[in-house]
Amino acid sequence: MRRLLLVHTGGTLGMSGRRPHALKPGAFLRTLRARVPELTTLAKLEFELFSNVDSCEMQPELWTKLATLLHGRLDDVDGAVVTHGTDTLSDTASALSFMLANLDKPVVLTGAQRPLGEVRSDARLNLIDAVTSALHGPREVTVCFDSHLFRGNRVRKVSVAEYDAFDSPNHPGLGVLGVEARFGPGLSRRGRRALLPGLVPEVFLLRVFPGLDPQLPLALLPRLKGLVVEAYGAGNFPVSKALGRSLEPVFAECQRRGVPVVVVSQAPRNGVDLSLYESGALARAYGAIDGGDMTMSAAVVKLMHGLAHHPGHRLRRYLERAVAGERS
């Protein structure tokens, strides 16, 4: 029987408590054995309790520890499943996709909208599908949810109350787990599996909105190592000086300080094209980097990772190319 590593980090899937009372981390392993005993007929599972926290507590330091754990254990198993809360699942999946380079075995993240111990929980099927994906799916970091398998750095959470909590607007799914489980090809390997730990967390996400005072991000710049701007449409933002809300001074000051800026779109589908409109061209003239169709999560985490591993002029090349399938 093939062997899989099951790493529990926490999240709703492993929580206990009954509404209307607040959910809290519970005894996951005991509940898992009671509620999903058939997992042991699919694979020999090796359980690892990494943490037992709400996913809002996941931080870059924990991503590095998790990637290190997975890299060290993958030699002894055929794949890995990571249970995780849904709120930051896309961020963790993105981080793992950059830190676990050239994967030769599947690493599948999953979670649930309701705890495993509840009657109408989606956790049971998600776990079975994730184990199936770790045995037969593509060899990369993926997210398995609601009978679909997605590239990990392409997903975003779109629902709080429905079971189809994730989508992948700019990349087709990698698998469908219906009556039969069907999987598409994954990433092509470019070398041996490698661990690339380390992130620079002094990155800020600036979402453009009407009324944004440019003095606010300007006040933050002395503390930043990188900036992601979530702009309108194809990369638009206000540049008119009539009302004093032009963001041009932000881009100019970032260039002066050597703070790299990545521009992504607030629109979930398609991506940024800084050559299309005046403000995008202005951003590019100040050295801003076109984030293409990367998700917000992928852009932020990739910038953190790039700052740690590709300083100076190498950073732009790293951010502009697809490293782990995160951009078209």
Side-chain angles (χ1 to χ4, degrees):
M1 184 175 286
R2 299 174 70 186
R3 301 167 66 189
L4 291 181
L5 177 66
L6 177 59
V7 181
H8 182 60
T9 69
T12 299
L13 182 147
M15 288 189 175
S16 61
R18 295 188 179 275
R19 295 169 177 82
H21 302 292
L23 297 174
K24 59 184 180 180
F28 174 68
L29 183 56
R30 184 173 62 226
T31 307
L32 179 71
R33 288 169 173 163
R35 303 288 288 188
V36 204
E38 56 267 53
L39 284 182
T40 59
T41 68
L42 297 176
K44 182 178 180 181
L45 298 178
E46 299 182 11
F47 184 76
E48 183 84 36
L49 180 61
F50 176 79
S51 62
N52 198 13
V53 298
D54 190 300
S55 68
C56 67
E57 303 293 346
M58 292 297 288
Q59 300 291 346
E61 294 80 5
L62 290 177
W63 293 337
T64 297
K65 292 180 180 178
L66 180 58
T68 302
L69 168 67
L70 289 166
H71 178 73
R73 295 292 304 277
L74 281 176
D75 283 337
D76 303 321
V77 294
D78 296 296
V81 172
V82 179
T83 55
H84 196 286
T86 58
D87 287 341
T88 59
L89 189 148
S90 59
D91 304 276
T92 298
S94 295
L96 293 178
S97 76
F98 300 127
M99 290 193 284
L100 297 173
N102 297 313
L103 273 176
D104 53 354
K105 296 172 184 177
V107 172
V108 185
L109 282 77
T110 193
Q113 295 288 68
R114 296 175 71 98
L116 180 59
E118 293 191 5
V119 174
R120 292 195 59 252
S121 173
D122 56 330
R124 183 175 176 277
L125 182 58
N126 285 349
L127 281 165
I128 293 171
D129 284 346
V131 167
T132 302
S133 299
L135 290 170
H136 306 290
R139 298 174 180 181
E140 59 178 276
V141 177
T142 57
V143 170
C144 186
F145 219 94
D146 192 42
S147 298
H148 289 81
L149 188 71
F150 304 108
R151 177 158 292 156
N153 52 36
R154 289 285 195 154
V155 300
R156 60 179 195 136
K157 185 175 179 179
V158 295
S159 176
V160 174
E162 283 75 42
Y163 288 150
D164 56 342
F166 291 88
D167 74 357
S168 176
N170 289 313
H171 191 272
L174 296 177
V176 177
L177 296 102
V179 175
E180 296 181 357
R182 304 188 305 274
F183 300 102
L187 293 169
S188 299
R189 295 179 65 201
R190 301 173 182 174
R192 298 183 61 183
R193 171 164 49 89
L195 175 65
L196 302 174
L199 299 158
V200 175
E202 291 88 0
V203 168
F204 188 74
L205 174 67
L206 176 65
R207 183 178 177 89
V208 178
F209 60 90
L212 172 62
D213 183 350
Q215 294 303 316
L216 296 176
L218 283 169
L220 288 173
L221 283 183
R223 302 185 60 181
L224 300 184
K225 300 288 181 62
L227 178 67
V228 175
V229 176
E230 199 174 11
Y232 304 130
N236 297 336
F237 53 88
V239 293
S240 171
K241 297 178 173 59
L243 297 175
R245 294 208 174 95
S246 169
L247 292 182
E248 180 178 356
V250 177
F251 288 87
E253 184 64 11
C254 284
Q255 185 184 53
R256 189 184 74 82
R257 290 179 173 272
V259 175
V261 180
V262 180
V263 182
V264 295
S265 177
Q266 295 177 15
R269 297 192 181 278
N270 309 123
V272 161
D273 181 356
L274 294 182
S275 67
L276 199 57
Y277 293 102
E278 176 189 7
S279 56
L282 183 69
R284 191 166 61 173
Y286 283 114
I289 299 165
D290 189 320
D293 59 356
M294 283 193 292
T295 65
M296 174 272 293
S297 294
V300 169
V301 176
K302 188 179 182 183
L303 182 54
M304 290 181 180
H305 192 255
L307 286 166
H309 293 274
H310 302 277
H313 65 276
R314 295 163 47 202
L315 180 63
R316 173 178 288 273
R317 292 202 300 269
Y318 176 74
L319 292 169
E320 288 181 336
R321 64 185 175 91
V323 175
E326 73 284 355
R327 60 180 295 166
S328 301

